[in-house]
Amino acid sequence: MNITSQIKQPIFNEMELFEKKFHESMTSKVALLNRITYYIVNRKGKQMRPMFVFLTAKMVSEGTVNERTYRGASVIELIHTATLVHDDVVDDSNRRRGFFSINALWKNKIAVLVGDYLLSKGLLLSIDNGDFDLLRIISVAVREMSEGELLQIEKARRLDITEDVYYEIIRKKTATLIAACCALGAKSVIEDDAKVENMRKFGELIGMAFQIKDDLFDYSEEAIGKPTGIDIKEQKMTLPLIHVLNTCTPQEKKWVINSIKNHNKDKKRVKEVIAFVKNNNGLAYAENKMVQFQQEALSLLENFPDSEFKDALTLMVNYVIERKK
């Protein structure tokens, strides 16, 4: 049994029912929209976000979920899917998880409209059922994701990111949605604000570790679905690079920044930058930080009684930093 199946085991029935409900939540009277949403549903990824929702709900409530939990998971997945469709337009990307992206098949205008449709479907699913507490959690995440992306774009132009700004970017860009999954899962079944906040923080810490792991893939030799050095080519400032820029000599710093700004299409130069980051402890430093976030996340689970749901969440946290792609 692979690790994703192991994590899914305690929520297998919930995930089966969720798929059905999620598909229903996308339906429209417009045939074109139904064709596109059918395409999306049949090319789903690992569905980590709904898994976080159900595992958190079951852990904090000792095994129960309700209709609010299903709606919360559907809203998260609708909004996450909307952001992916929009991201592919922004990045002019033709592939998503090995398949053609929506904009590659149906062009940008339709892709943007489909993203808007999914976003509004998500919001209405909460409003129509009076889940205003859950809607608030999601809306904060959507706002922060937009801020994180824009902050990254603003800083990338100048290549002057400090470690603190980097953490702020990844907290908003990546971690806030996983934090929302965990807060939402808890909030759907209990009223204890301290426990909901505990789970929000847990999700945020995993999200931070997840993004640092993604940064490290840029320096990997293995086939992971994205080419090595792509972040450098796109002038993205990642943790290994930021650390090295903060610790190298002014002369070396000038060379690295010049390489990223003016020679990022030169394969040989990109390889030299990657080697420089590796040789100056950039990867070791980032790995160490990733493990710190992971350990802090695990410590937040200690207050909950032992259960198969807690074990699955622990497995999930470890999978985030041990995954190969």
Side-chain angles (χ1 to χ4, degrees):
M1 190 188 289
N2 70 16
I3 191 133
T4 322
S5 306
Q6 267 177 279
I7 296 165
K8 262 189 191 169
Q9 198 65 33
I11 49 164
F12 184 79
N13 294 339
E14 284 80 5
M15 289 300 289
E16 291 277 291
L17 185 52
F18 161 74
E19 296 235 342
K20 202 165 141 283
K21 287 178 182 282
F22 178 56
H23 199 171
E24 283 166 10
S25 70
M26 279 187 168
T27 54
S28 153
K29 291 190 174 73
V30 179
L32 173 62
L33 255 172
N34 286 333
R35 264 210 312 281
I36 296 171
T37 54
Y38 180 78
Y39 180 81
I40 291 169
V41 168
N42 286 323
R43 281 152 192 77
K44 59 182 184 299
K46 296 187 192 77
Q47 293 190 309
M48 275 175 69
R49 285 154 196 86
M51 283 155 67
F52 273 122
V53 174
F54 290 116
L55 286 171
T56 302
K58 290 195 120 180
M59 183 185 72
V60 302
S61 66
E62 294 178 17
T64 60
V65 296
N66 55 32
E67 281 303 315
R68 269 161 58 81
T69 319
Y70 283 103
R71 286 197 297 269
S74 291
V75 172
I76 283 276
E77 198 67 350
L78 281 164
I79 285 173
H80 173 60
T81 308
T83 60
L84 295 184
V85 172
H86 281 164
D87 279 353
D88 287 340
V89 175
V90 171
D91 298 338
D92 202 15
S93 171
N94 291 326
R95 313 286 287 182
R96 165 71 62 183
R97 300 185 185 123
F99 296 99
F100 283 115
S101 58
I102 303 300
N103 49 303
L105 292 171
W106 284 282
K107 302 291 174 263
N108 284 349
K109 184 176 181 179
I110 289 177
V112 170
L113 293 168
V114 168
D116 291 347
Y117 172 77
L118 295 172
L119 190 63
S120 62
K121 275 294 233 186
L123 302 178
L124 282 168
L125 186 58
S126 294
I127 291 165
D128 290 345
N129 292 284
D131 300 331
F132 298 110
D133 50 346
L134 305 185
L135 183 58
R136 182 177 180 78
I137 292 170
I138 310 260
S139 300
V140 168
V142 174
R143 184 195 71 206
E144 292 205 322
M145 283 157 68
S146 308
E147 286 177 346
E149 287 287 355
L150 289 163
L151 182 60
Q152 184 174 40
I153 290 165
E154 179 193 336
K155 294 295 179 184
R157 287 185 184 141
R158 296 205 300 272
L159 301 183
D160 64 346
I161 295 186
T162 62
E163 207 170 305
D164 285 344
V165 170
Y166 166 81
Y167 290 135
E168 180 65 358
I169 288 171
I170 68 167
R171 186 187 70 73
K172 288 186 161 179
K173 209 181 77 147
T174 305
T176 191
L177 193 63
I178 299 174
C181 294
C182 297
L184 201 139
K187 188 74 178 165
S188 71
V189 290
I190 59 170
E191 279 302 320
D192 184 330
D193 287 344
K195 279 185 181 166
V196 172
E197 173 53 27
N198 186 76
M199 291 317 296
R200 187 202 66 77
K201 187 69 186 160
F202 166 79
E204 184 174 285
L205 290 163
I206 297 174
M208 302 290 275
F210 183 92
Q211 185 56 55
I212 295 172
K213 179 69 175 181
D214 252 19
D215 289 356
L216 287 164
F217 281 142
D218 203 46
Y219 296 87
S220 157
E221 299 300 324
E222 293 152 40
I224 51 151
K226 80 169 191 178
T228 308
I230 197 88
D231 288 340
I232 291 170
K233 291 187 186 94
E234 291 176 358
Q235 302 190 7
K236 276 186 190 157
M237 298 293 279
T238 58
L239 189 56
L241 188 59
I242 291 164
H243 174 69
V244 167
L245 285 174
N246 288 338
T247 50
C248 65
T249 66
Q251 203 58 37
E252 289 168 329
K253 185 173 181 172
K254 205 170 155 186
W255 173 80
V256 173
I257 287 182
N258 180 33
S259 302
I260 295 168
K261 269 194 166 161
N262 305 314
H263 304 280
N264 57 0
K265 302 283 186 281
D266 177 342
K267 281 185 178 158
K268 184 171 172 284
R269 192 76 170 252
V270 169
K271 271 190 171 153
E272 285 170 4
V273 173
I274 289 173
F276 182 77
V277 171
K278 283 180 176 173
N279 296 337
N280 285 273
N281 267 340
L283 301 197
Y285 181 81
E287 272 167 16
N288 189 26
K289 285 289 179 190
M290 175 178 72
V291 170
Q292 278 176 28
F293 284 121
Q294 176 219 22
Q295 293 304 318
E296 207 182 324
L298 288 174
S299 72
L300 292 177
L301 295 182
E302 284 168 10
N303 312 325
F304 294 95
D306 289 341
S307 67
E308 57 181 336
F309 315 114
K310 182 175 166 179
D311 292 345
L313 278 171
T314 304
L315 200 58
M316 189 96 123
V317 175
N318 295 331
Y319 167 68
V320 158
I321 72 163
E322 285 160 14
R323 67 201 162 99
K324 296 284 181 274
K325 61 179 180 179

